[in-house]
């Protein structure tokens, strides 16, 4: 994904475009989640599905026979016929909104109905549940739905009704099971079921994420990730060559230790080194600010947002302004992207504004804001930002690639073939201008993917791998391309496994592999892979996203047990 390389990318976990939209607001990814998305978004574009209210909902929510049938009492009436007659009377009362009367008729119908007429009896229970629903007697609704489902486990209406009650009671896992079963039974065409599933998945994901956030152990990202993260800043005021050169002259020993550890890739030591120095009473104040920035950055990389916030705040809000302008601007950019990770875009943009007020000529600000804008699909703004970023840092290959990519996205959006062509041509120049910039190749490949030139996209992912052979993310993207291009699961898994070999902390790899296992019906394996991804995720948003995938897989597994494996077979796949 284009926006990888910044803290903002940690939000999306470097999702490909068609998954990205899902991470920011819309329903979740591939697999079952993908089916939800595909169908509910198609449905939404057709028109207002929800608008036609609950009145009709209630009317169609009972199961009856054509009116008139069996309505005459018959002396020789069989118990089955009598049950039907009572049910029909119940339905009439229901339609007249006389719900208490309806319940009385349904009671009689249930009493009369022979036990072996399971489907019919299930219908009556379901209808009585509908009447209880109208009266908001939810415990009774749940009980009647359960009886209906004991009689007919594949009864969609009862499943959806019970799911909604379970949702109200915050019994979200059970709600998800029911509604997932309904979705599968209706082959993902029932809007009401899809919307409920989507809502429950999001709520459940959020709830699980919040629970895990309080107990989760922070994990340091891979060395490669950390290096790329820092390389996304053209001017790092603590670690850049210039900063280190001048430090030899001015800095106290405190900062030197931290920078040495950084240069030696001893990332796990950085926080404790910084803390030890910061707490010394005789520390040079500008050095202290740099150490706070560095420590805050590592807290951010660890996903320890509160601690990161404290350090960055201390740098930004220092009344004495003892931090240099570069240090303050860098802290503001990082705090901005952290606000984004915490799902607070308005604070994020405020910090970018503040950074620009502090130093309007800092390309890094535009570069990172451009990534956030791209993430939010604000293509026009992203394009303006990346243009300015490049103007201010014309030698920055990543900025060049990002500008080309946003130009392309903009051209594609406005459906102007000539613009698309010129964007592509400009992009090709990047290979001469910045022959060693891996971003140029991956973004070019991403663009080719968007344009469905899969074969060429693959070629350029291969070139990107040549440039940066340790980058696991590119392998995952190449694997995803295999799926999009020709559904080659075996090849896709090969690439992704290679990614995990290179970087066993590649959360995106585990998540993607898990999704593929869902497709293949290996739900238990998928759940394990999602667990692994969860242990590596750094933000609430990432956790919510992965939990939604995992919860969907768990629900599918349960339903398989409930309704039989053959019921699931062949339905869960995307093909
Ligand atoms: C969806 O399912 C509910 C409950 O079974 C049903 O009342 C409704 O008519 C269905 N909607 C569609 C569009 O099939
Ligand atoms: C790997 O490559 C992608 C695409 O160029 C880039 O965005 C990312 O930052 C790189 N590094 C890591 C650790 O993913
Ligand atoms: C700001 O400067 C004053 C006077 O030099 C000093 O006493 C105070 O501790 C400084 N504050 C910070 C946060 O460094």
């Amino acid at each position: 994904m284009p926006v990888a390389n910044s803290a903002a990318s940690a939000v999306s976990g470097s999702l490909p475009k068609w998954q990205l939209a899902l991470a920011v607001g819309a329903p979740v990814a591939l697999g079952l989640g993908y089916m939800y998305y595909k169908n509910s978004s198609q449905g939404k574009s057709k028109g207002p599905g929800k608008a036609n209210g609950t009145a009709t909902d209630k009317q169609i929510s009972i199961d009856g026979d054509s009116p008139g049938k069996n309505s005459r009492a018959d002396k020789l009436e069989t118990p089955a016929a009598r049950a039907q007659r009572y049910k029909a009377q119940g339905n009439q009362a229901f339609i007249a909104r006389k719900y208490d009367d309806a319940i009385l008729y349904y009671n009689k119908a249930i009493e009369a109905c022979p036990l072996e007429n399971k489907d019919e009896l299930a219908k009556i229970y379901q209808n009585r549940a509908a009447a209880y629903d109208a009266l908001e007697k939810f415990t009774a609704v749940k009980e009647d739905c359960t009886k209906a489902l004991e009689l007919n486990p594949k009864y969609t209406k009862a499943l959806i009704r019970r799911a909604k009650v379970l949702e109200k009671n915050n019994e979200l896992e059970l709600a998800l099971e029911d509604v997932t079963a309904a979705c599968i039974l209706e082959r993902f065409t029932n809007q009401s079921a899809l919307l409920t599933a989507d809502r429950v998945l999001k709520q459940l994901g959020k709830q699980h994420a919040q629970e895990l956030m309080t107990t989760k152990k922070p994990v340091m990202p891979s060395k490669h990730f950390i290096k790329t993260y820092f390389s996304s800043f053209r001017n790092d005021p603590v670690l850049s060559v210039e900063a280190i050169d001048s430090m030899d002259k001015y800095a106290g020993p405190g900062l030197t230790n931290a920078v040495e550890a950084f240069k030696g890739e001893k990332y796990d030591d950085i926080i404790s080194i910084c803390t030890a120095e910061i707490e010394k009473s005789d520390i040079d104040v500008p050095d202290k600010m740099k150490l706070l920035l560095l420590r805050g950055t590592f807290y951010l990389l660890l996903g320890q947002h509160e601690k990161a916030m404290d350090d960055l705040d201390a740098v930004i809000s220092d009344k004495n302004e003892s931090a240099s302008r570069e240090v303050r601007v860098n802290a503001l950019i990082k705090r901005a992207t952290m606000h984004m990770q915490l799902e607070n875009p308005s604070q994020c943009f405020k910090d970018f504004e503040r950074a620009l007020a502090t130093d309007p000529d800092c390309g890094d600000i535009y570069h990172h804001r451009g990534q956030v804008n791209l993430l939010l699909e604000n293509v026009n703004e992203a394009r303006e930002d990346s243009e300015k970023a490049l103007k201010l840092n014309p030698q920055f290959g990543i900025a060049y690639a990002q500008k080309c990519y946003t130009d392309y996205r903009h051209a594609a959006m406005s459906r102007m073939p000539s613009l698309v062509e010129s964007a592509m041509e400009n992009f090709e120049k990047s290979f001469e201008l910045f022959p060693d910039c891996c971003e140029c190749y991956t973004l070019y490949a991403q663009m080719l993917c968007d344009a469905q030139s899969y074969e060429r996209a693959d070629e350029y992912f291969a070139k990107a791998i040549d440039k940066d052979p340790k980058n696991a993310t590119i392998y995952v993207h190449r694997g995803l391309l295999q799926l999009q291009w020709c559904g080659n699961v075996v090849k896709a898994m090969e690439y992704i496994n290679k990614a995990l070999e290179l970087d066993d902390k590649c959360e995106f790899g585990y998540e993607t592999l898990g999704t593929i296992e869902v497709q293949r019906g290996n739900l238990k394996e998928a759940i394990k892979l999602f667990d692994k991804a969860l242990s590596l995720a750094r933000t609430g948003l990432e956790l919510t996203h992965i939990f939604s995938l995992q919860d969907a897989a768990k629900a599918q597994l349960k339903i398989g047990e409930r309704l039989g494996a053959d019921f699931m077979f062949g339905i869960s796949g995307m093909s």
Side-chain angles (χ1 to χ4, degrees), residues 417-466:
S418 63
L419 281 182
V420 170
E421 224 162 87
S422 76
M424 286 188 168
E425 275 164 21
N426 272 336
F427 223 145
E428 277 149 28
K429 285 184 199 144
S430 74
F431 307 129
E432 275 164 40
L433 291 168
F434 305 99
D436 294 321
C437 176
C438 161
E439 226 81 12
C440 294
Y441 296 93
T442 48
L443 284 183
Y444 190 71
Q446 178 73 45
M447 176 193 73
L448 292 168
C449 268
D450 292 355
Q452 303 188 352
S453 297
Y454 296 128
E455 199 167 347
R456 290 191 64 213
D458 189 57
E459 211 177 289
Y460 279 87
F461 277 133
K463 286 186 186 180
I465 289 173
D466 261 0

Short mmCIF file of all heavy atoms in Angstrom, two decimals, residues 417-466:
data_model
loop_
_atom_site.label_atom_id
_atom_site.label_comp_id
_atom_site.label_asym_id
_atom_site.label_seq_id
_atom_site.Cartn_x
_atom_site.Cartn_y
_atom_site.Cartn_z
N PRO A 417 -8.17 9.83 -19.66
CA PRO A 417 -7.14 8.91 -20.15
C PRO A 417 -5.80 9.60 -20.43
O PRO A 417 -4.74 9.03 -20.17
CB PRO A 417 -7.73 8.35 -21.44
CG PRO A 417 -9.20 8.60 -21.34
CD PRO A 417 -9.39 9.79 -20.48
N SER A 418 -5.86 10.85 -20.92
CA SER A 418 -4.59 11.51 -21.25
C SER A 418 -3.79 11.79 -19.98
O SER A 418 -2.57 11.68 -19.95
CB SER A 418 -4.85 12.81 -22.01
OG SER A 418 -5.58 13.70 -21.19
N LEU A 419 -4.52 12.18 -18.91
CA LEU A 419 -3.84 12.42 -17.64
C LEU A 419 -3.26 11.13 -17.07
O LEU A 419 -2.16 11.12 -16.53
CB LEU A 419 -4.81 13.03 -16.62
CG LEU A 419 -5.11 14.52 -16.74
CD1 LEU A 419 -6.04 14.96 -15.63
CD2 LEU A 419 -3.81 15.32 -16.70
N VAL A 420 -4.03 10.07 -17.20
CA VAL A 420 -3.56 8.77 -16.72
C VAL A 420 -2.24 8.44 -17.42
O VAL A 420 -1.26 8.04 -16.78
CB VAL A 420 -4.59 7.66 -16.98
CG1 VAL A 420 -3.99 6.30 -16.71
CG2 VAL A 420 -5.83 7.87 -16.13
N GLU A 421 -2.24 8.66 -18.73
CA GLU A 421 -1.05 8.32 -19.50
C GLU A 421 0.16 9.14 -19.05
O GLU A 421 1.25 8.60 -18.86
CB GLU A 421 -1.33 8.59 -20.98
CG GLU A 421 -0.84 7.48 -21.88
CD GLU A 421 -1.52 7.58 -23.24
OE1 GLU A 421 -0.99 8.32 -24.08
OE2 GLU A 421 -2.59 6.96 -23.42
N SER A 422 -0.08 10.44 -18.85
CA SER A 422 1.07 11.26 -18.49
C SER A 422 1.53 10.94 -17.07
O SER A 422 2.73 11.01 -16.78
CB SER A 422 0.78 12.75 -18.69
OG SER A 422 -0.02 13.22 -17.65
N ALA A 423 0.61 10.58 -16.22
CA ALA A 423 1.01 10.18 -14.87
C ALA A 423 1.90 8.94 -14.95
O ALA A 423 2.91 8.84 -14.26
CB ALA A 423 -0.22 9.90 -14.01
N MET A 424 1.50 8.01 -15.79
CA MET A 424 2.31 6.79 -15.93
C MET A 424 3.68 7.10 -16.50
O MET A 424 4.69 6.54 -16.06
CB MET A 424 1.58 5.80 -16.84
CG MET A 424 0.40 5.13 -16.16
SD MET A 424 -0.27 3.82 -17.19
CE MET A 424 -1.36 2.98 -16.06
N GLU A 425 3.72 8.02 -17.48
CA GLU A 425 5.01 8.37 -18.07
C GLU A 425 5.94 9.01 -17.03
O GLU A 425 7.12 8.65 -16.94
CB GLU A 425 4.82 9.32 -19.25
CG GLU A 425 4.52 8.56 -20.53
CD GLU A 425 3.96 9.47 -21.61
OE1 GLU A 425 4.16 10.70 -21.53
OE2 GLU A 425 3.32 8.94 -22.53
N ASN A 426 5.38 9.92 -16.25
CA ASN A 426 6.19 10.54 -15.20
C ASN A 426 6.72 9.50 -14.23
O ASN A 426 7.84 9.58 -13.76
CB ASN A 426 5.34 11.53 -14.40
CG ASN A 426 5.37 12.89 -15.04
OD1 ASN A 426 6.31 13.21 -15.76
ND2 ASN A 426 4.34 13.67 -14.79
N PHE A 427 5.87 8.57 -13.95
CA PHE A 427 6.24 7.51 -13.02
C PHE A 427 7.46 6.76 -13.55
O PHE A 427 8.41 6.47 -12.82
CB PHE A 427 5.08 6.53 -12.88
CG PHE A 427 4.82 6.11 -11.46
CD1 PHE A 427 3.52 5.88 -11.01
CD2 PHE A 427 5.86 5.94 -10.56
CE1 PHE A 427 3.27 5.50 -9.70
CE2 PHE A 427 5.62 5.55 -9.26
CZ PHE A 427 4.32 5.33 -8.83
N GLU A 428 7.44 6.50 -14.86
CA GLU A 428 8.54 5.72 -15.42
C GLU A 428 9.88 6.47 -15.33
O GLU A 428 10.93 5.83 -15.24
CB GLU A 428 8.21 5.33 -16.87
CG GLU A 428 7.34 4.08 -16.89
CD GLU A 428 6.37 4.02 -18.06
OE1 GLU A 428 6.68 4.61 -19.11
OE2 GLU A 428 5.30 3.38 -17.92
N LYS A 429 9.79 7.80 -15.31
CA LYS A 429 11.04 8.56 -15.17
C LYS A 429 11.69 8.30 -13.81
O LYS A 429 12.90 8.45 -13.66
CB LYS A 429 10.76 10.06 -15.30
CG LYS A 429 10.51 10.48 -16.71
CD LYS A 429 10.35 12.00 -16.80
CE LYS A 429 9.65 12.36 -18.10
NZ LYS A 429 8.73 13.51 -17.92
N SER A 430 10.89 7.93 -12.84
CA SER A 430 11.44 7.77 -11.49
C SER A 430 12.52 6.69 -11.46
O SER A 430 13.43 6.75 -10.64
CB SER A 430 10.32 7.42 -10.50
OG SER A 430 9.91 6.09 -10.68
N PHE A 431 12.41 5.73 -12.37
CA PHE A 431 13.40 4.63 -12.32
C PHE A 431 14.79 5.12 -12.72
O PHE A 431 15.79 4.54 -12.32
CB PHE A 431 12.95 3.47 -13.21
CG PHE A 431 11.56 3.02 -12.90
CD1 PHE A 431 10.62 2.87 -13.91
CD2 PHE A 431 11.17 2.75 -11.60
CE1 PHE A 431 9.32 2.47 -13.62
CE2 PHE A 431 9.88 2.35 -11.30
CZ PHE A 431 8.94 2.21 -12.32
N GLU A 432 14.81 6.21 -13.54
CA GLU A 432 16.12 6.79 -13.86
C GLU A 432 16.57 7.75 -12.77
O GLU A 432 17.74 7.78 -12.40
CB GLU A 432 16.03 7.54 -15.19
CG GLU A 432 16.22 6.64 -16.39
CD GLU A 432 15.75 7.30 -17.66
OE1 GLU A 432 16.00 8.52 -17.82
OE2 GLU A 432 15.11 6.62 -18.49
N LEU A 433 15.60 8.53 -12.29
CA LEU A 433 15.95 9.54 -11.29
C LEU A 433 16.37 8.91 -9.97
O LEU A 433 17.29 9.38 -9.31
CB LEU A 433 14.76 10.47 -11.06
CG LEU A 433 14.40 11.39 -12.22
CD1 LEU A 433 13.04 12.05 -11.98
CD2 LEU A 433 15.48 12.45 -12.39
N PHE A 434 15.63 7.88 -9.56
CA PHE A 434 15.90 7.28 -8.25
C PHE A 434 16.01 5.76 -8.40
O PHE A 434 15.14 5.01 -7.94
CB PHE A 434 14.78 7.62 -7.26
CG PHE A 434 14.53 9.08 -7.14
CD1 PHE A 434 13.49 9.69 -7.83
CD2 PHE A 434 15.35 9.87 -6.34
CE1 PHE A 434 13.26 11.05 -7.72
CE2 PHE A 434 15.12 11.23 -6.22
CZ PHE A 434 14.09 11.83 -6.91
N PRO A 435 17.06 5.31 -9.07
CA PRO A 435 17.11 3.88 -9.43
C PRO A 435 17.09 2.95 -8.21
O PRO A 435 16.74 1.79 -8.34
CB PRO A 435 18.41 3.76 -10.22
CG PRO A 435 19.20 4.98 -9.91
CD PRO A 435 18.23 6.05 -9.56
N ASP A 436 17.47 3.47 -7.04
CA ASP A 436 17.52 2.57 -5.88
C ASP A 436 16.35 2.73 -4.94
O ASP A 436 16.33 2.13 -3.87
CB ASP A 436 18.82 2.80 -5.11
CG ASP A 436 20.02 2.40 -5.95
OD1 ASP A 436 19.91 1.37 -6.66
OD2 ASP A 436 21.04 3.12 -5.92
N CYS A 437 15.37 3.53 -5.34
CA CYS A 437 14.25 3.76 -4.43
C CYS A 437 13.18 2.70 -4.64
O CYS A 437 12.49 2.65 -5.65
CB CYS A 437 13.67 5.15 -4.68
SG CYS A 437 12.22 5.47 -3.67
N CYS A 438 13.08 1.86 -3.63
CA CYS A 438 12.16 0.73 -3.71
C CYS A 438 10.70 1.18 -3.86
O CYS A 438 9.90 0.58 -4.57
CB CYS A 438 12.37 -0.09 -2.45
SG CYS A 438 11.08 -1.19 -2.05
N GLU A 439 10.39 2.29 -3.18
CA GLU A 439 9.02 2.83 -3.21
C GLU A 439 8.55 3.10 -4.64
O GLU A 439 7.37 2.93 -4.96
CB GLU A 439 8.99 4.14 -2.43
CG GLU A 439 7.84 4.28 -1.49
CD GLU A 439 8.12 3.55 -0.22
OE1 GLU A 439 9.29 3.16 -0.01
OE2 GLU A 439 7.18 3.36 0.58
N CYS A 440 9.47 3.56 -5.51
CA CYS A 440 9.09 3.85 -6.88
C CYS A 440 8.54 2.59 -7.54
O CYS A 440 7.54 2.63 -8.25
CB CYS A 440 10.29 4.37 -7.67
SG CYS A 440 10.87 5.97 -7.08
N TYR A 441 9.19 1.48 -7.29
CA TYR A 441 8.76 0.22 -7.92
C TYR A 441 7.46 -0.30 -7.32
O TYR A 441 6.56 -0.74 -8.02
CB TYR A 441 9.86 -0.83 -7.81
CG TYR A 441 11.10 -0.44 -8.57
CD1 TYR A 441 12.14 0.23 -7.95
CD2 TYR A 441 11.21 -0.72 -9.94
CE1 TYR A 441 13.28 0.62 -8.66
CE2 TYR A 441 12.34 -0.34 -10.65
CZ TYR A 441 13.37 0.33 -10.01
OH TYR A 441 14.47 0.72 -10.70
N THR A 442 7.36 -0.23 -5.98
CA THR A 442 6.13 -0.80 -5.38
C THR A 442 4.91 0.05 -5.71
O THR A 442 3.84 -0.48 -5.99
CB THR A 442 6.23 -0.93 -3.86
OG1 THR A 442 6.71 0.28 -3.31
CG2 THR A 442 7.14 -2.05 -3.46
N LEU A 443 5.09 1.37 -5.70
CA LEU A 443 3.93 2.20 -6.01
C LEU A 443 3.55 2.09 -7.48
O LEU A 443 2.37 2.12 -7.84
CB LEU A 443 4.17 3.65 -5.61
CG LEU A 443 4.07 3.94 -4.11
CD1 LEU A 443 4.26 5.41 -3.82
CD2 LEU A 443 2.73 3.48 -3.55
N TYR A 444 4.56 1.95 -8.31
CA TYR A 444 4.27 1.74 -9.73
C TYR A 444 3.51 0.42 -9.91
O TYR A 444 2.51 0.35 -10.62
CB TYR A 444 5.58 1.71 -10.52
CG TYR A 444 5.40 1.73 -12.02
CD1 TYR A 444 4.94 2.88 -12.67
CD2 TYR A 444 5.69 0.61 -12.79
CE1 TYR A 444 4.78 2.91 -14.05
CE2 TYR A 444 5.53 0.63 -14.17
CZ TYR A 444 5.07 1.78 -14.80
OH TYR A 444 4.90 1.79 -16.16
N ALA A 445 3.95 -0.60 -9.20
CA ALA A 445 3.26 -1.89 -9.26
C ALA A 445 1.83 -1.77 -8.73
O ALA A 445 0.89 -2.33 -9.29
CB ALA A 445 4.03 -2.94 -8.46
N GLN A 446 1.70 -1.00 -7.65
CA GLN A 446 0.36 -0.79 -7.07
C GLN A 446 -0.56 -0.13 -8.10
O GLN A 446 -1.72 -0.51 -8.25
CB GLN A 446 0.51 0.10 -5.84
CG GLN A 446 -0.78 0.46 -5.15
CD GLN A 446 -1.35 -0.71 -4.39
OE1 GLN A 446 -0.63 -1.41 -3.69
NE2 GLN A 446 -2.64 -0.96 -4.55
N MET A 447 0.00 0.84 -8.80
CA MET A 447 -0.78 1.52 -9.83
C MET A 447 -1.19 0.53 -10.93
O MET A 447 -2.34 0.53 -11.38
CB MET A 447 0.06 2.65 -10.43
CG MET A 447 -0.61 3.37 -11.58
SD MET A 447 0.55 4.41 -12.49
CE MET A 447 1.49 3.16 -13.37
N LEU A 448 -0.27 -0.32 -11.33
CA LEU A 448 -0.59 -1.31 -12.36
C LEU A 448 -1.68 -2.26 -11.87
O LEU A 448 -2.55 -2.68 -12.63
CB LEU A 448 0.67 -2.08 -12.77
CG LEU A 448 1.73 -1.26 -13.51
CD1 LEU A 448 3.04 -2.04 -13.60
CD2 LEU A 448 1.25 -0.87 -14.90
N CYS A 449 -1.60 -2.59 -10.59
CA CYS A 449 -2.67 -3.41 -9.98
C CYS A 449 -4.01 -2.72 -10.12
O CYS A 449 -5.00 -3.31 -10.53
CB CYS A 449 -2.42 -3.59 -8.50
SG CYS A 449 -1.51 -5.02 -8.08
N ASP A 450 -4.02 -1.45 -9.73
CA ASP A 450 -5.27 -0.68 -9.80
C ASP A 450 -5.80 -0.70 -11.23
O ASP A 450 -7.01 -0.75 -11.45
CB ASP A 450 -5.04 0.78 -9.39
CG ASP A 450 -4.68 0.91 -7.92
OD1 ASP A 450 -4.72 -0.11 -7.22
OD2 ASP A 450 -4.37 2.04 -7.48
N ALA A 451 -4.87 -0.62 -12.18
CA ALA A 451 -5.27 -0.59 -13.59
C ALA A 451 -5.49 -1.99 -14.15
O ALA A 451 -5.69 -2.16 -15.35
CB ALA A 451 -4.21 0.15 -14.40
N GLN A 452 -5.40 -2.99 -13.29
CA GLN A 452 -5.59 -4.40 -13.64
C GLN A 452 -4.58 -4.91 -14.66
O GLN A 452 -4.86 -5.85 -15.41
CB GLN A 452 -7.02 -4.65 -14.12
CG GLN A 452 -8.02 -4.23 -13.06
CD GLN A 452 -9.45 -4.62 -13.39
OE1 GLN A 452 -9.74 -5.10 -14.48
NE2 GLN A 452 -10.32 -4.45 -12.44
N SER A 453 -3.41 -4.28 -14.71
CA SER A 453 -2.31 -4.83 -15.52
C SER A 453 -1.50 -5.75 -14.62
O SER A 453 -0.41 -5.41 -14.18
CB SER A 453 -1.38 -3.71 -16.01
OG SER A 453 -2.05 -2.85 -16.84
N TYR A 454 -2.08 -6.90 -14.36
CA TYR A 454 -1.51 -7.75 -13.31
C TYR A 454 -0.12 -8.29 -13.66
O TYR A 454 0.75 -8.36 -12.82
CB TYR A 454 -2.47 -8.89 -12.99
CG TYR A 454 -3.77 -8.39 -12.42
CD1 TYR A 454 -4.99 -8.79 -12.96
CD2 TYR A 454 -3.79 -7.50 -11.35
CE1 TYR A 454 -6.19 -8.34 -12.45
CE2 TYR A 454 -4.99 -7.03 -10.83
CZ TYR A 454 -6.18 -7.46 -11.38
OH TYR A 454 -7.36 -6.99 -10.86
N GLU A 455 0.03 -8.65 -14.92
CA GLU A 455 1.29 -9.27 -15.28
C GLU A 455 2.45 -8.28 -15.08
O GLU A 455 3.48 -8.61 -14.51
CB GLU A 455 1.23 -9.72 -16.74
CG GLU A 455 2.27 -10.74 -17.06
CD GLU A 455 2.00 -11.41 -18.40
OE1 GLU A 455 0.87 -11.24 -18.94
OE2 GLU A 455 2.90 -12.07 -18.91
N ARG A 456 2.22 -7.05 -15.53
CA ARG A 456 3.28 -6.04 -15.37
C ARG A 456 3.44 -5.67 -13.90
O ARG A 456 4.55 -5.42 -13.44
CB ARG A 456 2.95 -4.80 -16.19
CG ARG A 456 3.06 -5.06 -17.68
CD ARG A 456 3.00 -3.78 -18.48
NE ARG A 456 4.13 -2.89 -18.18
CZ ARG A 456 4.06 -1.56 -18.19
NH1 ARG A 456 2.91 -0.96 -18.46
NH2 ARG A 456 5.11 -0.83 -17.92
N ALA A 457 2.36 -5.64 -13.16
CA ALA A 457 2.47 -5.35 -11.73
C ALA A 457 3.40 -6.36 -11.07
O ALA A 457 4.28 -6.00 -10.28
CB ALA A 457 1.09 -5.38 -11.08
N ASP A 458 3.24 -7.60 -11.45
CA ASP A 458 4.07 -8.65 -10.87
C ASP A 458 5.55 -8.42 -11.19
O ASP A 458 6.42 -8.57 -10.34
CB ASP A 458 3.61 -10.01 -11.39
CG ASP A 458 4.29 -11.14 -10.65
OD1 ASP A 458 4.17 -11.19 -9.41
OD2 ASP A 458 4.97 -11.96 -11.31
N GLU A 459 5.78 -8.00 -12.43
CA GLU A 459 7.14 -7.70 -12.86
C GLU A 459 7.77 -6.63 -11.94
O GLU A 459 8.92 -6.74 -11.54
CB GLU A 459 7.03 -7.14 -14.27
CG GLU A 459 8.16 -7.38 -15.22
CD GLU A 459 7.73 -6.78 -16.57
OE1 GLU A 459 6.84 -7.34 -17.25
OE2 GLU A 459 8.28 -5.72 -16.91
N TYR A 460 6.97 -5.61 -11.65
CA TYR A 460 7.53 -4.52 -10.86
C TYR A 460 7.63 -4.85 -9.37
O TYR A 460 8.52 -4.35 -8.69
CB TYR A 460 6.76 -3.21 -11.12
CG TYR A 460 7.27 -2.59 -12.40
CD1 TYR A 460 6.73 -2.94 -13.63
CD2 TYR A 460 8.36 -1.72 -12.38
CE1 TYR A 460 7.25 -2.42 -14.82
CE2 TYR A 460 8.88 -1.20 -13.55
CZ TYR A 460 8.32 -1.55 -14.77
OH TYR A 460 8.84 -1.05 -15.92
N PHE A 461 6.75 -5.69 -8.89
CA PHE A 461 6.95 -6.17 -7.52
C PHE A 461 8.27 -6.94 -7.45
O PHE A 461 9.02 -6.84 -6.48
CB PHE A 461 5.78 -7.04 -7.06
CG PHE A 461 4.62 -6.25 -6.54
CD1 PHE A 461 3.32 -6.54 -6.95
CD2 PHE A 461 4.80 -5.21 -5.63
CE1 PHE A 461 2.23 -5.80 -6.48
CE2 PHE A 461 3.72 -4.47 -5.15
CZ PHE A 461 2.44 -4.77 -5.57
N ALA A 462 8.54 -7.71 -8.50
CA ALA A 462 9.80 -8.47 -8.53
C ALA A 462 10.99 -7.51 -8.50
O ALA A 462 11.97 -7.74 -7.79
CB ALA A 462 9.85 -9.35 -9.77
N LYS A 463 10.88 -6.42 -9.24
CA LYS A 463 11.98 -5.44 -9.24
C LYS A 463 12.12 -4.80 -7.86
O LYS A 463 13.24 -4.55 -7.40
CB LYS A 463 11.72 -4.35 -10.28
CG LYS A 463 11.94 -4.86 -11.69
CD LYS A 463 11.83 -3.76 -12.72
CE LYS A 463 11.91 -4.39 -14.11
NZ LYS A 463 11.83 -3.43 -15.18
N ALA A 464 11.00 -4.52 -7.24
CA ALA A 464 11.05 -3.93 -5.90
C ALA A 464 11.75 -4.87 -4.94
O ALA A 464 12.55 -4.45 -4.09
CB ALA A 464 9.64 -3.61 -5.41
N ILE A 465 11.48 -6.14 -5.08
CA ILE A 465 12.11 -7.13 -4.20
C ILE A 465 13.61 -7.15 -4.45
O ILE A 465 14.41 -7.25 -3.51
CB ILE A 465 11.47 -8.52 -4.41
CG1 ILE A 465 10.05 -8.52 -3.83
CG2 ILE A 465 12.31 -9.62 -3.78
CD1 ILE A 465 9.25 -9.77 -4.12
N ASP A 466 14.01 -6.98 -5.70
CA ASP A 466 15.42 -6.86 -6.02
C ASP A 466 16.07 -5.72 -5.27
O ASP A 466 17.19 -5.83 -4.77
CB ASP A 466 15.58 -6.56 -7.52
CG ASP A 466 15.91 -7.82 -8.29
OD1 ASP A 466 16.02 -8.88 -7.65
OD2 ASP A 466 16.06 -7.74 -9.53
#
